Structure formats: structure tokens, C-alpha cells
Amino acid sequence: MSFVEYGDTIKDGDTAIVFLGHESMFPVKVQHGTVTQTKYGVIRHSTDLIGKKYGSKVTCSKGGWVFILHPTPELWTMNLPHRTQILYSTDISIITMMLELKPGSIVCESGTGSGSLSHALIRTVAPTGHLYTVEFHQQRAEKARQEFREHGVEHLVTVTNQDVCKNGFGVSNIADAVFLDIPSPWEAIGHAKSALKAEGGRICSFSPCIEQVQRTCLAMEEYGFTEINTLEILLRVYNVRTISLQIPDLGKAAEDNSSTDFDSSNPSHQGSPCANLQQGTVQFKSGVPLREVVGHTGYLTFATKS
């Protein structure tokens, strides 16, 4: 199992995603002789998982069933253990595009955090690229290094435990892109410039506060970066629902036309919206926005090394 090399069969030691529904899933490490408890009953790894194909429908001990999915960076973002605040797919997608990443790209990242963005970057630059990720916190760095090894991507990433604002990324003039997610990114702009290739390299800084963005933009300008711009990505989710609307009273002429044009006894008209005319309502499929929406996650500032 690897997050960048997909396999068909579940093996001992794999990380798999147990899918109970769109709002309910979790990762599990497959181990011979181990069981996993779900609300539908027990999953026995030896008999229910190992040797089965990814995507299989597995029946639990209580008669309910789940799907076992191959892990991807998108699924991992939704299910990973949170050691820090993480970036989600909305921001990750625009970061990957705006940094112009592709297979073979060299990327520097700080900080590693929970590894949400790291897995997406690794998948994007594989199989010939490389990620150099720097984490200030020693335990988080060690945990990230362990996860990369378990997920079969350790050959594509180098994890370093140090302060990027003081010691940089440990590489010079090789990176195609640099990503910063630290409290004071303006202090690391000089090191980012040193890590980037001679010209044309891209940099992105993620900050939750506009004051951080202002100081970062000033530092980018001071170090000669061009094409400086800041984006805020807002996601608005809609639910598709069936709603009932009252039929407006258009007068006697409209009623006569309705009775002439529509025959409720006709089997072909059963189930149509007009079938509810006698009740004074008609049903429609409609997209309804969520009542509560996360309005702000952070600002993404991009620039180019001239």
C-alpha cells in the first residue's frame, strides 16, 4: 500500500479507510489477528480485510456493512489525527495549482504539522520529485516521519526538525516552490529565496490574520519577489432537497386551463409535480445553502522569484 502507488489487494500493515457513510469514516491499520469495532459490529482483519480487494463491501458481526477504501491524500485529510490545525482540500487544490507543481518538482514546506498538505504535495510531485519539509516541534516531526514510512512515501520526502526562521530548509537553489505555514512567515522569506532555484520559483504563505499577510508582503517585496498577490478561498456548500411551494392563485381562467390540460387519473401523470395541484402545493428539487458556513480559514499569499 502506498499513497502514490495504488494496489488492488489489502495487505497486512496497510492503512485503509473504513467508510460507513459520507459523514462517517475513519482510518485503520490492518494487522493480522486484530479486530476493529464499529456501530455495525466487529471487523476481523484476518478474515474480513486481508486478501480482499480495496472497495470491497464488508459485512460486520451485527449484520451491518461498510466499505474498505484505498487511502488517498483527500481521504487522509478528512480522517487524519489532528496534531495541529490543518489545510483542507479547498486550499490545497489552489496551492498545488498556483505553485505550478507537477511530477518531478522539488518543494520545500514549513511547517509539517499534521501532514495534510504534505501528502497532497508528495502525490503531485511523484514519482521523481521530492518534498523537503521542516517542522519546529520534535515530536510532530518524528510522528510525521513515521506516517510517511507507514504510507510508503518515505523515499519522496525528507523531514527535518529545526527552526526554519533561523536555519532555513537545509537546501539551496534547487526548489521549484516553497510553502510557509508558520506564525511569522516574514522571518523565513530570506531562507525561502535561498532555497528556490535561480529564477522563476514560486512561493506561497498561509496566514489566518491580515496583519501577518501585510508583514509577509513587505518582506517579499524587500527580497525582490514579484507578482505578489493574496487570495481568500471561500467554500459555500449546497444541499439538494425536495421543497414544497404553494401554487399561486391566478384566477378562474388559470383554474380552467389547469383542469383542461391536466388529467390526474392519467397514469402517465402520476408522480409528476402537477399531481399535487389538488393539495395546493407543488414539489421541486432545489439547492439549499447550509445555515452555518465556515466563512474564513486563512489568506494565501503567492509570489514569484524574479
Side-chain angles (χ1 to χ4, degrees):
M1 185 279 305
S2 170
F3 274 52
V4 296
E5 298 173 0
Y6 298 100
D8 292 332
T9 306
I10 305 172
K11 299 181 177 62
D12 189 14
D14 282 3
T15 297
I17 305 297
V18 180
F19 181 89
L20 292 82
H22 289 289
E23 302 297 329
S24 179
M25 62 184 94
F26 60 89
V28 62
K29 185 174 182 179
V30 179
Q31 293 178 311
H32 184 77
T34 302
V35 298
T36 296
Q37 295 282 351
T38 74
K39 63 181 180 181
Y40 301 126
V42 171
I43 301 174
R44 295 175 176 81
H45 294 200
S46 300
T47 57
D48 297 333
L49 299 184
I50 297 176
K52 300 291 182 64
K53 288 185 175 296
Y54 279 107
S56 296
K57 182 177 179 180
V58 173
T59 302
C60 304
S61 60
K62 293 182 180 179
W65 47 266
V66 298
F67 288 104
I68 307 299
L69 306 181
H70 194 291
T72 64
E74 292 80 8
L75 289 174
W76 185 245
T77 290
M78 298 171 63
N79 295 282
L80 59 78
H82 286 228
R83 300 183 288 272
T84 59
Q85 292 290 334
I86 69 169
L87 290 176
Y88 290 92
S89 296
T90 306
D91 288 314
I92 291 173
S93 60
I94 197 71
I95 290 169
T96 303
M97 184 189 74
M98 294 293 288
L99 289 182
E100 302 174 2
L101 301 182
K102 59 185 181 301
S105 295
I106 306 297
V107 186
C108 292
E109 174 198 27
S110 183
T112 312
S114 301
S116 173
L117 176 64
S118 303
H119 282 81
L121 294 178
I122 292 169
R123 197 259 309 271
T124 303
V125 304
T128 56
H130 201 83
L131 172 66
Y132 294 90
T133 182
V134 177
E135 172 58 51
F136 175 79
H137 193 277
Q138 181 178 358
Q139 291 180 335
R140 287 201 292 263
E142 293 174 353
K143 184 61 178 176
R145 193 177 290 113
Q146 176 187 342
E147 286 179 348
F148 293 142
R149 183 169 55 253
E150 292 176 351
H151 298 164
V153 296
E154 70 275 10
H155 61 292
L156 297 170
V157 58
T158 300
V159 182
T160 305
N161 173 218
Q162 64 187 27
D163 185 352
V164 71
C165 296
K166 295 180 179 179
N167 306 113
F169 293 93
V171 296
S172 299
N173 303 318
I174 66 169
D176 297 288
V178 170
F179 176 79
L180 298 174
D181 183 6
I182 55 178
S184 53
W186 56 89
E187 296 181 0
I189 299 300
H191 294 296
K193 183 177 181 180
S194 299
L196 287 168
K197 59 187 181 181
E199 61 179 351
R202 295 279 286 166
I203 183 174
C204 174
S205 173
F206 176 90
S207 296
C209 302
I210 195 64
E211 293 81 7
Q212 294 171 306
V213 174
Q214 292 169 339
R215 296 188 65 175
T216 302
C217 289
L218 290 173
M220 288 178 174
E221 188 176 22
E222 179 183 348
Y223 279 95
F225 284 89
T226 60
E227 299 179 333
I228 302 172
N229 64 89
T230 298
L231 307 177
E232 182 182 18
I233 312 302
L234 302 178
L235 178 66
R236 191 176 189 189
V237 179
Y238 281 76
N239 283 337
V240 177
R241 297 178 181 175
T242 300
I243 61 174
S244 297
L245 298 178
Q246 288 187 344
I247 299 174
D249 184 2
L250 302 179
K252 187 174 186 305
E255 293 177 2
D256 293 341
N257 291 336
S258 298
S259 60
T260 303
D261 297 337
F262 179 76
D263 181 7
S264 59
S265 63
N266 189 335
S268 64
H269 291 160
Q270 297 299 323
S272 67
C274 295
N276 290 321
L277 284 175
Q278 294 181 348
Q279 287 74 37
T281 63
V282 62
Q283 290 186 333
F284 295 94
K285 289 292 184 180
S286 176
V288 182
L290 301 180
R291 292 185 178 181
E292 295 183 3
V293 179
V294 177
H296 172 77
T297 57
Y299 300 101
L300 295 170
T301 300
F302 296 91
T304 302
K305 182 178 179 180
S306 61

